[in-house]
Amino acid sequence: MPQITLPDGSTRSFDNAVTIAEVAASIGEGLAKAALAGRVNGVLVDTSHSVEIEAEVAIITERDAEGIEVLRHSCAHLMAQAVQRLFPKAQVTIGPVIEDGFFYDFSYERPFTPEDLIAIEKEMGVLVKENLRVDRTVLSREDAIALFQEKGETYKVEIISSIPGDEDLSFYRQGDFIDLCRGPHVPSTSKFKAFKLTSVAGAYWRGDSNNEMLQRVYGTAWGSKKDLNLYLQRLEEAEKRDHRKLGKSLNLFHFQEEAPGMAFWHPKGWTIYQIVQRYMQVRQDATNYKEINTPQLVDYSLWEKSGHAAKFADEMFSVESDNRMYAIKPMNCPCHIQVFNQGLKSYRDLPLRLAEFGSCHRYEPSGSMHGLMRVRSFVQDDGHIFCTEDQIQAEVADFMDLLFSVYTDFGFDDVILRLSTRPEKRVGSDEIWDEAEKSLKDALNATGLPWELVPGEGAFYGPKIEYSLKDCMGRIQQCGTIQVDFFTPGRLGAHYIAEDNSRKTPVMLHRAVLGSFERFIGILIEHYAGAMPAWLAPEQAIILNITDKQSQYCTEVEESLKNKGFRVTTDLRNEKIGFKIREHTLQKIPYLLVVGDKEVESGSVAVRKRGGEDLGPMTIDDFCEYLSQDVARLGRSEESTVAD
RNA sequence: GCUCGCAUAGCUCAGGCGGUAGAGCACUCCCUUGGUAAGGGAGAGGUCCCCGGUUCAAUUCCGGGUGUGAGCACCA
């Protein structure tokens, strides 16, 4: 006699065991139709799931996040079924839900083409019309293996065989298609209203590059056509913000074949770069970092000593000169230890915070490069803190204060914290790792913010915290990091004299707030859609004359604004004002200063913001004051974080 | 690094089943001096990514390379 409690607290009694579908039907016809799955005492189940005793039950529809997930998962099955109808020789492997969609990996004799994708999507439509029931069945491991062996699905057999334990396994059947799956799934193929296959690409079986490359088809599915369109619009918006596109159209930087993965910075892009770097310099000066600079070319033996050559030789550029092998530095830390090693250090010198904006080169795999986001030549706001074990926690806490404050200045309020702990391949004793991980955990807990544990992802020399920020598109971008290193200082002979007159090896903390400038600027460009806030804008204002008559005055205004330290230019071309407004608006210059006879007469400029807002005429002094305030806000104001 | 796609004027892109190519914008010159998102006219501009092969002939077809895009793998 099941007694069912619904989410609103109401209860319903049934005489016999009842399915989720029946519960939904008892509430209303519309709900019965909309039901995609159910939740019984917190567990997601199929609508065919039968409830026999007292339970809390919720009907899951496309309005629930879980409903959309079920829909996407089922859509992956729908796609697999369509693929096997069209390409009977294709073998199925796995097809999980991912953010905003799903994919399914197939093994097939040839790669799928974009035309195949269209055909598959069409076939999926046919399957929807066929309204096939989706049934859950349970098979024993032996029966399941026999079934898929018979079908020639060798990958599925491998998956089934590798599932630990010996309980029965659940399968979902729709028409002639059957797949191993935990479920739940939608009750029928008619439930799909809005889906689209988005791309096809290779992907390694089990994510291992030694294995066969499978054909991965990506798709997306939504509860309604409207949601699907909103999603597609979001993709378009992201494409418009692509920093590679904006870098070209705003004339910030370029790449060319002769220097793959290395940016050529143009005046406007370099201005942004310099502003960001000078800002970090000021912030680090104020927090007791000593800025240094070390060579870009260092004898290979140093990298062998540090342990980097053993692990990253293939990713390092090297140069032979005069029978010596040098590496172009892929990182600054071994050089920082050389600076530390000059002169005998006392515990009184610790913590010692060294910082460097050092140009580093890494031979990144060709397929991994992506505009400014992943390059072979980059500069980090790099720093290394030499300290004692007792100082780690305080140093981490200090660093985080700096980091949060910097991110806020750049307009990022959402920071995601992750702690990566000891990997399998590592150096140092477990006791040392225990302590290092504890220091980082304590520092994280002290922030009061939520953080995520990522076991096994630490560096070989120590655990690390990674700081990611959310951009205005909701994308998560990893930027900052702090890593504890008990290993490298010792390998490179760093030591200090402790209070008890013994020689001790310092702990080194590797840390960066922004990460690489290249990447961070890429993130800024996309976050602001190229419309940089006034403090970062390479050109803060441009003065536009209406006719030749005002040229002289415009030049004078330019001079006086430049003297106040603003980045200002003029456009005195023989063009109509509308044309100039359009051009410089597209160049996303924050302020357009229009000058006609009226302005000359009154000693003013007519101020127009790049979003189109007309601030009317202002005296030069008033405009300076206005711009100063805007610049002083950095990225903090609501107004300037919204791309206009 | 792997799979698949792409590479044509400064930019964005057409095009050609093999006979050395075209638009819009930008650029130069001329007219126009016009008050808040494109005024008009004329002109100049190309090793069709590179190296081989097939062919009377290759920008086009084939092979290799480089770069680049999506995804995978990698990321000190």
Side-chain angles (χ1 to χ4, degrees):
Chain A
M1 264 270 285
Q3 162 111 355
I4 282 168
T5 309
L6 294 167
D8 64 0
S10 66
T11 58
R12 276 162 198 263
S13 304
F14 295 87
D15 294 337
N16 299 303
V18 65
T19 65
I20 299 298
E22 285 160 358
V23 174
S26 79
I27 299 169
E29 203 182 319
L31 188 62
K33 252 176 115 178
L36 297 177
R39 189 171 45 229
V40 177
N41 295 329
V43 180
L44 277 183
V45 295
D46 296 306
T47 56
S48 59
H49 179 88
S50 158
V51 183
E52 280 153 29
I53 48 166
E54 201 172 303
E56 283 185 19
V57 170
I59 308 297
I60 302 295
T61 70
E62 68 193 35
R63 292 183 177 202
D64 304 286
E66 295 117 310
I68 296 294
E69 285 217 1
V70 169
L71 196 72
R72 284 178 185 152
H73 198 175
S74 299
C75 202
H77 280 211
L78 183 79
M79 177 172 82
Q81 184 178 15
V83 166
Q84 291 204 314
R85 272 198 181 178
L86 295 173
F87 311 99
K89 280 194 205 151
Q91 285 194 55
V92 291
T93 66
I94 55 159
V97 172
I98 50 171
E99 198 179 352
D100 294 330
F102 59 86
F103 68 76
Y104 210 114
D105 285 350
F106 304 93
S107 165
Y108 192 52
E109 59 198 18
R110 65 165 177 83
F112 290 131
T113 64
E115 291 73 44
D116 293 336
L117 235 61
I118 294 167
I120 295 165
E121 195 173 305
K122 206 172 147 200
E123 189 63 29
M124 288 166 75
V126 172
L127 289 167
V128 170
K129 285 221 179 71
E130 285 178 21
N131 187 13
L132 300 170
R133 259 184 52 188
V134 179
D135 289 317
R136 183 174 186 273
T137 49
V138 172
L139 293 176
S140 72
R141 182 171 303 257
E142 297 74 46
D143 290 349
I145 289 176
L147 174 69
F148 283 97
Q149 215 136 40
E150 193 195 326
K151 282 175 167 280
E153 297 279 8
T154 54
Y155 286 92
K156 268 300 174 213
V157 171
E158 195 182 323
I159 294 170
I160 296 168
S161 310
S162 68
I163 296 176
D166 46 20
E167 73 271 27
D168 291 341
L169 302 164
S170 66
F171 291 81
Y172 283 81
R173 188 189 288 280
Q174 53 198 60
D176 51 1
F177 177 77
I178 183 162
D179 200 357
L180 165 76
C181 194
R182 200 175 286 124
H185 279 285
V186 300
S188 144
T189 61
S190 65
K191 298 292 177 188
F192 304 102
K193 293 181 204 153
F195 58 84
K196 189 175 166 62
L197 300 187
T198 47
S199 66
V200 57
Y204 300 109
W205 166 236
R206 304 215 158 193
D208 185 335
S209 56
N210 297 313
N211 290 342
E212 190 208 338
M213 183 159 273
L214 306 171
Q215 297 302 312
R216 175 170 297 179
V217 181
Y218 285 89
T220 186
W222 298 83
S224 67
K225 284 247 155 61
K226 195 177 142 217
D227 286 349
L228 174 63
N229 284 335
L230 282 174
Y231 168 70
L232 295 175
Q233 273 167 30
R234 209 165 83 219
L235 289 187
E236 257 174 57
E237 175 63 22
E239 210 174 303
K240 266 190 246 160
R241 287 170 178 262
D242 189 316
H243 74 282
R244 293 166 299 184
K245 216 172 202 170
L246 289 166
K248 209 179 264 183
S249 64
L250 301 181
N251 195 12
L252 303 176
F253 57 84
H254 85 268
F255 288 91
Q256 66 185 54
E257 278 196 30
E258 289 81 351
M262 298 179 247
F264 291 73
W265 287 98
H266 298 191
K268 292 211 293 176
W270 191 243
T271 302
I272 299 174
Y273 196 114
Q274 288 289 294
I275 294 166
V276 174
Q277 184 167 319
R278 283 184 201 131
Y279 166 86
M280 280 315 298
Q281 238 156 2
V282 169
R283 297 301 311 263
Q284 288 181 347
D285 272 0
T287 41
N288 284 322
Y289 284 88
K290 305 293 174 207
E291 189 178 329
I292 60 173
N293 191 268
T294 61
Q296 293 208 39
L297 227 53
V298 181
D299 195 281
Y300 209 80
S301 59
L302 182 73
W303 307 102
E304 278 161 356
K305 263 188 229 155
S306 73
H308 290 100
K311 201 159 190 284
F312 296 108
D314 289 347
E315 286 81 41
M316 282 161 62
F317 288 100
S318 52
V319 179
E320 201 196 323
S321 174
D322 204 16
N323 291 322
R324 274 181 81 171
M325 278 300 282
Y326 297 88
I328 304 178
K329 72 175 167 188
M331 54 181 352
N332 299 306
C333 46
C335 292
H336 285 200
I337 295 172
Q338 306 314 304
V339 173
F340 179 88
N341 287 352
Q342 297 301 303
L344 192 57
K345 294 291 182 295
S346 151
Y347 71 94
R348 294 171 194 275
D349 296 319
L350 306 184
L352 180 66
R353 300 172 174 176
L354 297 180
E356 176 173 2
F357 302 106
S359 178
C360 294
H361 290 73
R362 295 179 183 174
Y363 186 84
E364 299 285 358
S366 58
S368 70
M369 288 188 295
H370 179 88
L372 293 174
M373 301 298 197
R374 185 92 177 259
V375 286
R376 288 187 175 156
S377 168
F378 60 93
V379 176
Q380 286 171 289
D381 60 322
D382 201 8
H384 295 91
I385 300 169
F386 295 87
C387 63
T388 66
E389 283 170 37
D390 293 343
Q391 291 168 334
I392 295 175
Q393 206 185 315
E395 285 303 305
V396 174
D398 266 15
F399 170 72
M400 283 208 230
D401 285 344
L402 172 66
L403 176 132
F404 284 122
S405 153
V406 168
Y407 285 176
T408 311
D409 280 352
F410 280 102
F412 299 107
D413 298 319
D414 233 331
V415 183
I416 292 139
L417 310 169
R418 298 197 310 171
L419 171 64
S420 301
T421 54
R422 67 195 79 185
E424 288 206 357
K425 274 193 175 174
R426 59 178 186 267
V427 294
S429 69
D430 283 354
E431 293 76 60
I432 287 181
W433 278 87
D434 285 342
E435 233 173 282
E437 286 171 6
K438 186 176 179 305
S439 311
L440 293 186
K441 269 183 205 165
D442 288 347
L444 282 168
N445 287 333
T447 63
L449 294 167
W451 54 271
E452 190 190 328
L453 181 69
V454 198
E457 288 297 307
F460 67 95
Y461 49 67
K464 62 182 176 187
I465 301 175
E466 287 184 338
Y467 304 86
S468 302
L469 37 86
K470 240 189 210 172
D471 73 8
C472 70
M473 300 282 293
R475 296 171 302 190
I476 291 163
Q477 314 271 8
Q478 201 236 302
C479 292
T481 183
I482 186 160
Q483 315 186 350
V484 183
D485 185 351
F486 291 106
F487 171 66
T488 319
R491 270 193 91 140
L492 294 179
H495 60 261
Y496 65 94
I497 307 300
E499 220 167 343
D500 62 2
N501 203 30
S502 64
R503 277 180 170 232
K504 286 198 169 140
T505 306
V507 178
M508 180 165 70
L509 306 178
H510 306 246
R511 42 107 292 160
V513 177
L514 305 180
S516 99
F517 285 106
E518 283 74 7
R519 182 180 149 70
F520 191 75
I521 290 167
I523 292 168
L524 284 175
I525 293 170
E526 302 203 351
H527 179 62
Y528 289 117
M532 305 311 254
W535 77 294
L536 291 172
E539 289 175 306
Q540 295 171 317
I542 185 159
I543 303 155
L544 316 174
N545 60 342
I546 303 275
T547 73
D548 287 347
K549 276 187 283 177
Q550 302 94 28
S551 320
Q552 170 76 23
Y553 174 80
C554 286
T555 311
E556 285 163 23
V557 173
E558 182 190 12
E559 275 309 300
S560 69
L561 289 174
K562 275 185 173 165
N563 287 339
K564 292 250 166 87
F566 296 117
R567 298 182 289 276
V568 186
T569 51
T570 54
D571 180 354
L572 305 179
R573 290 175 303 169
N574 175 14
E575 296 290 351
K576 293 199 167 180
I577 193 67
F579 179 86
K580 293 186 192 178
I581 298 262
R582 174 182 156 80
E583 205 160 77
H584 301 297
T585 301
L586 291 174
Q587 283 295 304
K588 313 204 184 219
I589 299 175
Y591 296 100
L592 310 183
L593 311 180
V594 177
V595 172
D597 287 339
K598 279 185 282 182
E599 285 73 23
V600 175
E601 211 168 295
S602 60
S604 63
V605 288
V607 183
R608 178 188 162 113
K609 293 174 85 167
R610 72 183 148 208
E613 193 188 341
D614 187 0
L615 299 181
M618 280 188 209
T619 65
I620 309 304
D621 284 347
D622 283 350
F623 177 70
C624 284
E625 179 56 30
Y626 185 91
L627 183 53
S628 296
Q629 281 178 18
D630 194 1
V631 168
R633 267 199 297 276
L634 307 183
R636 287 174 185 259
S637 87
E638 196 71 58
E639 195 184 355
S640 50
T641 56
V642 175
D644 44 13

